[in-house]
Amino acid sequence: MRTVEIDEDILESMFEQVEYLHSLVRTISRLLVSKKPDELITTNEAAAILRMSTRHLNNLKASGKIPFIQIDGRVMYLANDIAKYIIMQKAKL
């Protein structure tokens, strides 16, 4: 087995990131567990699941980074698309 030295600040930062990801996954699980993959969710629900403002979500929508559906002028998101976006973002970390 190899022993690796790591700076304490870097280790602390890594633990903070793991805590954040754990919190994010827990929140996402709680919010999406009752949703079916093809179920539509509102902008407010999607923003809460993604832990971002509705303004930021609207910017992602406008830039084509997250798919949406418009029904009678109301913007909705598929629960599955929100989950895919989260997975895609997690892969970038």
Side-chain angles (χ1 to χ4, degrees):
M1 183 188 327
R2 272 181 33 196
T3 302
V4 177
E5 286 188 36
I6 187 167
D7 184 81
E8 189 174 339
D9 291 338
I10 292 172
L11 182 62
E12 209 170 294
S13 175
M14 289 170 64
F15 280 131
E16 287 173 7
Q17 288 177 356
V18 168
E19 276 183 44
Y20 169 75
L21 288 173
H22 177 70
S23 170
L24 182 62
V25 168
R26 204 173 49 232
T27 300
I28 292 163
S29 295
R30 190 179 67 237
L31 293 170
L32 280 178
V33 74
S34 63
K35 305 288 182 187
K36 295 177 184 168
D38 60 345
E39 188 172 344
L40 293 172
I41 58 178
T42 66
T43 298
N44 287 336
E45 288 175 314
I49 291 167
L50 294 168
R51 300 180 104 189
M52 64 177 60
S53 68
T54 55
R55 183 180 203 168
H56 185 68
L57 179 58
N58 286 329
N59 288 339
L60 290 174
K61 173 187 68 102
S63 65
K65 294 182 180 175
I66 193 161
F68 67 98
I69 297 168
Q70 197 160 5
I71 301 172
D72 294 329
R74 190 170 179 199
V75 174
M76 304 292 285
Y77 300 86
L78 286 171
N80 193 44
D81 288 337
I82 299 300
K84 284 179 187 176
Y85 179 80
I86 293 165
I87 290 166
M88 184 178 69
Q89 294 306 303
K90 214 166 99 172
K92 291 180 180 179
L93 293 178

